Each structure stands twice: as structure tokens, then as C-alpha cells.
Amino acid sequence: MAKVNDFEQAKDIQYGVGSKQRFPDSANTHYTFPSVDDLLSDADQIAEMVQHHMSYQKPRLLTLRNYFKGNNTTILTGKRRKEEHVADNRATHNFAKYVSQFVQGYMVGIPLKTTYPEETINEKLRDMNRANDADEHNSELILDQSIYGRAYEILYRSQDDQIKFTTLDAVSTFVVYDDTVEMLPIAGIRYMDNQFRDNETIVYVYTAKRIYIFKGNQNLENIKLDREQEHSFDGVPIIEYSNNKFRQGDFEDVLNLIDLYDSAQSDLANYSQDLNDAMLKIVGNLEIDAEEAKDMKEKNILLLRTEANSTGSSIQADAGYIYKQYDVAGSEAYKDRIANDIHMFTATPNMNDENFGGVQSGEAMKYKLFLLEQKRATKERLFKKSLRDRYRLINNIMRVAAEGEFDVNDLTITFTENLPENIAKEMEWFTGAGGRLSNETMLSMLTFIENPLEEIEKIEEEDKNSPLSQPMYDYEVAEQEEVTENE
């Protein structure tokens, strides 16, 4: 595996010098190895793989992060205008954040629900999810998926002997798969700089049975195994969540369009500023000196007193500004076209579109979000696949710790798209037609109720202990006791 320490050089190698391709294919490739034993047999192989990730993949991930944070690298770097005296505004527009946050809210704005048919296991999983704040955790994974095209989580056993899971930084984490058609994970790797020691890098390698900690210098030369420890998950505890087949972010393929919009808006701002600083042009022979001109400027007037020409006749004088004519209407149409293309290719709605707003039913909204629905279906399938891997590892360690066991295939994982729905109108039609719903069904329609059955049990318990349910007179108590004895 060749070591390439410069990202631009990596692009030149793959596409040829001068290529306009933003990222080479190597910037998003999977890492594969025959087996974990072969990988661990030589620490230099691990160092080479991490170095490849730093050189090829990390620049892409950092670029996507910068766009999400509004630091659009293309418009903010380099010199856009040659003249020193003209305006050089750099306007950035955070379409990237809009796209990712919209997708995040659409998919998990209503938290996903994970249920198991056996109540004992269901209660344990529910308590575990609450302890790990699973709703927030899943939301962060969806956001990382949208930004980077991939997200990572790690499972571990805490100091108080609890099962925990948290997200990992996608910029410095990757999973190594075997080279079979199944592409089974054989190791998870994350690396970081030692904040207490300059020029030292720490590499953590997680396998199905053990965790290996390597240390080396910044270039990972002379990398050595520092220590190792066991874990009981019986699987690689770092799980990758892919956004799609190509692990592409939701706004990654419109970065060039975002750059075009930034440039157009910056050019309009430069035009406005250049107009204020435009050069004054005066035509004609004038009786005016520098002090008079300065005084006129301060008083915001311009009095043009002409002098006679060589023949003794008067001449005309004129004044005006020299500036570049700008097609404002054409510029606005151009920017609108770019913005609409960004929304179209990211399958997100343009909230400034007059045809999108208004009071609409959930079904009408679904037709307008048809492309986003197709994207959501793909993201949901891949997320569920990795989510089952999480609970498979949880089941493994619960079995070892004698805390219970369950069949991961029996888990029900439910996503609910976050769309405005006119439930009141549907209920009005249903009840008007003589329909009736159970309490469990009605409670399940409330987004803030996590478990309808649990809520019904609480209601029954409150009713049972309510003063209104207690007998008011002694004879009622006697009648109840008599009924109990007869039973």
C-alpha cells in the first residue's frame, strides 16, 4: 500500500494532474485484510493503514465537516480578485447544515422505537436505552451519516459494570473488513494525538476478543504495542453505520453548486461595495482647484463652473461615475436556479418555494417529498442493519454476565417520519363514521408516549389508588368482603 502524504498528490495520481475531481475514490474506500491475525502480525501494517487514512480519507471528512460548519473552503481560500483596491467579500451559505439537519429531523425527529415481545427483556432494553440516552445517540449517528456518509459507535462496559455505547469521531475512525464477499468486520481502529506528549500518536485496535493499544510518533514510525486488554462482547465493538452503498454524504454531490452560489452572492456584494467606491468622471474644462473640490465633497454637492476654450466660447461639462454595469435581475435568476438545483439533487424541500408551504395533509407532503422518502428508505434499512449489530453485541455480553438473553431477530425497530399530519381531521372522520379506538392505539399515536402498555398500567394503578375508587360507607366495605368470600 503506497504512502501518500499529500491529498492533492493523491488526486493527481488517481485522475492525472489538473483534475477537477474534488475527492479521489481512495478518499472513501473500505479497508480490507485477509484476517485479524494477519493484520496484528506486523504493527507496521496497522501504521500504514492509519497513515493511508490520514492522507487519503481524513481530508475529505474534514472538508465535509467544514461545509457543515459553514466554513466553505473554496470561497474562503485563495484570492478571487486581482486588483488590490476592489472589494473581496467572501459570503458563505450553509446549505450543508440545512440539508443534514433536515434529514436528521425528518428521520428521527420522532425517536425510533425498539421493542421486544418478552416484557422482561423489553424492560431491560428500555432501561439501557434510557441510561445511554439512546434517542439523542441515534440522532447524532443519523447526523454523522448525513455529513460524512458514515458514522461510528463504540460499545463498552463502564466502571460501574453497565453496558454503554457512544459515538466516535468519524474523522479518525474506520473499520477493517475481511476480504470475503460478506465483508465481515475483523477490527475497528481509531487514532488520536496524545495531548500530553507532543509528536505521539495513539492507535486503538478493537478485535472480536481484545483491545490493542499501539503508540508511535506523529508519522507512526517505530510504532509499538503498548498494552492490551480483553472484552466480552464476542464481536468487534466498533460498529459502522453507512449512509448509502457508496458512503456518500447527503450534500457531498452538491458541493460545487454550493461554491457557485457562494461566488454569485459574493460577486453581488462586491458589486454593491465597488459602486459605493466608484470613480468620479468629469468631462470639460473647469475652474476648480483641489480645495474647492474637497469642500464640495464634504457638502455633498458638485458645482461645475466651466472656463472658456481657446476660441472664447463656453463649453459644456458633465460628471458621472464609472462602474461596471451589473445585471441584477439575471443574477437573482441565476442564484435561484442554483438554489433549486441544490434542493433537487439533495431531495430536500425549498422552504422559500411558495408552492411548498400552506396547510397540507401528511399524504400531500409525502408526494412532494417523494425523493426524500426513497432516500429515507435506504438510510433506514442500513441503519437497522447496524442497529441489530449493536443489540447482537449487547446480547452477547448480557449472556456472559448472566443478565438475560434474547433473539435479536425478534426485535422490532420502528422509524416514524417526522411529517405534519392532520390527525384531528382523520379522527373526526373516523368517529363520525361510528369508529372506536382502543386506549392502547390512541396512546401509541402520541409521540411523547414511549410504551403505550406501560402507560395504561400506570393509569390503572392511579385509578386503583384514587380516593374516588375507595368505598364511602361501611356497608359498601362489607358488601365487597362478602363478594370476595363467595368468590
Side-chain angles (χ1 to χ4, degrees):
M1 184 182 299
K3 295 182 180 179
V4 180
N5 296 316
D6 181 70
F7 191 60
E8 294 302 320
Q9 182 185 353
K11 292 200 297 183
D12 291 343
I13 291 174
Q14 188 148 7
Y15 296 108
V17 177
S19 171
K20 297 298 183 181
Q21 182 80 21
R22 189 181 288 265
F23 306 122
D25 292 342
S26 319
N28 206 9
T29 187
H30 287 96
Y31 291 99
T32 60
F33 223 79
S35 71
V36 67
D37 293 333
D38 290 341
L39 179 64
L40 295 170
S41 64
D42 186 355
D44 289 338
Q45 296 177 138
I46 297 173
E48 191 174 354
M49 192 174 290
V50 172
Q51 198 172 49
H52 183 278
H53 187 274
M54 289 178 177
S55 300
Y56 278 81
Q57 304 215 4
K58 192 172 182 177
R60 167 186 170 270
L61 298 169
L62 288 175
T63 298
L64 296 174
R65 173 183 287 181
N66 283 331
Y67 271 82
F68 177 79
K69 294 169 66 176
N71 299 325
N72 303 358
T73 52
T74 301
I75 192 70
L76 294 177
T77 57
K79 184 167 179 63
R80 300 184 66 248
R81 309 191 76 181
K82 296 180 180 179
E83 300 86 351
E84 293 291 340
H85 64 280
V86 296
D88 188 17
N89 295 292
R90 311 291 181 99
T92 62
H93 301 80
N94 209 334
F95 283 100
K97 179 173 286 188
Y98 174 89
V99 170
S100 291
Q101 289 188 335
F102 189 92
V103 171
Q104 179 191 31
Y106 182 65
M107 289 196 65
V108 287
I110 300 175
L112 63 88
K113 297 179 180 179
T114 305
T115 57
Y116 192 77
E118 185 182 334
E119 186 57 29
T120 304
I121 297 297
N122 194 43
E123 183 67 27
K124 287 185 178 181
L125 294 178
R126 188 160 55 242
D127 291 342
M128 188 184 305
N129 286 336
R130 287 172 179 168
N132 285 279
D133 198 4
D135 292 342
E136 175 65 20
H137 174 75
N138 293 331
S139 180
E140 290 300 316
L141 286 174
I142 291 290
L143 182 62
D144 278 359
Q145 272 187 313
S146 180
I147 297 172
Y148 306 109
R150 50 180 126 156
Y152 299 94
E153 74 174 359
I154 184 171
L155 287 83
Y156 62 97
R157 197 81 171 183
S158 65
Q159 293 181 352
D160 56 354
D161 207 25
Q162 299 294 317
I163 300 174
K164 296 287 187 178
F165 46 82
T166 188
T167 57
L168 291 175
D169 187 1
V171 174
S172 56
T173 306
F174 60 94
V175 173
V176 183
Y177 299 88
D178 65 20
D179 56 4
T180 66
V181 293
E182 294 181 277
M183 284 190 66
L184 300 175
I186 60 174
I189 297 179
R190 67 186 184 97
Y191 57 90
M192 65 183 69
D193 294 330
N194 189 340
Q195 58 181 331
F196 300 108
R197 292 185 181 179
D198 294 336
N199 199 33
E200 181 178 75
T201 302
I202 306 174
V203 179
Y204 296 83
V205 180
Y206 298 79
T207 67
K209 298 292 183 182
R210 303 183 72 82
I211 304 171
Y212 301 86
I213 296 93
F214 295 86
K215 290 185 178 180
N217 60 18
Q218 196 169 21
N219 295 324
L220 292 175
E221 297 169 349
N222 301 320
I223 185 173
K224 294 180 180 179
L225 178 64
D226 182 67
R227 65 188 186 276
E228 59 182 278
Q229 62 190 64
E230 292 184 350
H231 67 79
S232 302
F233 284 100
D234 195 23
V236 178
I238 291 182
I239 300 173
E240 178 176 350
Y241 290 74
S242 297
N243 195 45
N244 47 54
K245 178 181 179 180
F246 300 102
R247 299 197 303 175
Q248 189 177 36
D250 288 328
F251 57 83
E252 186 172 349
D253 57 351
V254 296
L255 293 179
N256 291 337
L257 291 177
I258 296 174
D259 292 342
L260 288 177
Y261 193 92
D262 287 345
S263 295
Q265 195 77 316
S266 299
D267 288 343
L268 182 58
N270 290 335
Y271 164 74
S272 300
Q273 187 170 332
D274 289 344
L275 182 60
N276 293 332
D277 299 332
M279 183 181 295
L280 178 64
K281 177 189 70 174
I282 300 177
V283 179
N285 296 327
L286 304 178
E287 294 182 8
I288 186 172
D289 58 26
E291 289 298 324
E292 286 181 307
K294 182 178 179 181
D295 184 58
M296 290 180 187
K297 181 178 181 182
E298 291 176 352
K299 295 178 179 178
N300 205 26
I301 62 173
L302 181 63
L303 178 61
L304 303 180
R305 298 192 302 272
T306 60
E307 61 181 14
N309 59 13
S310 58
T311 61
S313 60
S314 62
I315 59 173
Q316 292 186 347
D318 189 21
Y321 283 101
I322 301 175
Y323 60 92
K324 182 180 179 181
Q325 297 294 328
Y326 203 84
D327 183 6
V328 178
S331 174
E332 291 301 315
Y334 172 68
K335 289 190 298 181
D336 289 342
R337 185 164 66 249
I338 295 174
N340 289 331
D341 284 346
I342 291 173
H343 290 294
M344 179 175 68
F345 294 126
T346 58
T348 54
N350 186 353
M351 293 302 181
N352 292 327
D353 186 357
E354 296 178 356
N355 297 322
F356 188 83
V359 179
Q360 303 180 48
S361 67
E363 290 301 316
M365 291 285 285
K366 284 182 179 179
Y367 281 109
K368 292 189 174 184
L369 297 173
F370 178 76
L371 289 178
L372 184 58
E373 272 291 291
Q374 309 314 305
K375 179 186 289 188
R376 182 191 67 84
T378 300
K379 292 164 71 77
E380 183 179 315
R381 284 192 297 268
L382 292 172
F383 196 90
K384 283 182 177 181
K385 178 182 177 183
S386 296
L387 198 62
R388 292 189 185 279
D389 289 338
R390 176 203 298 175
Y391 287 105
R392 188 170 291 108
L393 294 179
I394 291 174
N395 175 57
N396 292 344
I397 200 167
M398 285 177 62
R399 182 176 62 247
V400 172
E403 297 175 354
E405 190 174 354
F406 59 94
D407 187 352
V408 178
N409 294 323
D410 289 338
L411 276 174
T412 301
I413 302 170
T414 306
F415 280 83
T416 305
E417 63 271 18
N418 191 14
L419 279 176
E421 296 182 4
N422 197 346
I423 297 178
K425 186 174 181 180
E426 294 181 10
M427 289 295 295
E428 181 182 353
W429 169 84
F430 184 70
T431 54
R436 187 165 170 260
L437 293 175
S438 66
N439 287 337
E440 181 182 353
T441 300
M442 288 190 290
L443 287 171
S444 66
M445 298 171 70
L446 300 176
T447 58
F448 54 85
I449 299 297
E450 183 177 348
N451 191 317
L453 290 176
E454 186 182 52
E455 190 66 24
I456 290 174
E457 291 176 2
K458 291 180 181 178
I459 294 173
E460 291 176 349
E461 187 67 25
E462 288 179 357
D463 291 343
K464 187 171 154 185
N465 298 327
S466 173
L468 298 176
S469 65
Q470 304 301 321
M472 295 181 62
Y473 303 103
D474 292 340
Y475 72 84
E476 291 181 345
V477 176
E479 288 178 356
Q480 290 181 2
E481 291 176 349
E482 184 179 351
V483 171
T484 303
E485 290 176 358
N486 292 334
E487 291 177 350

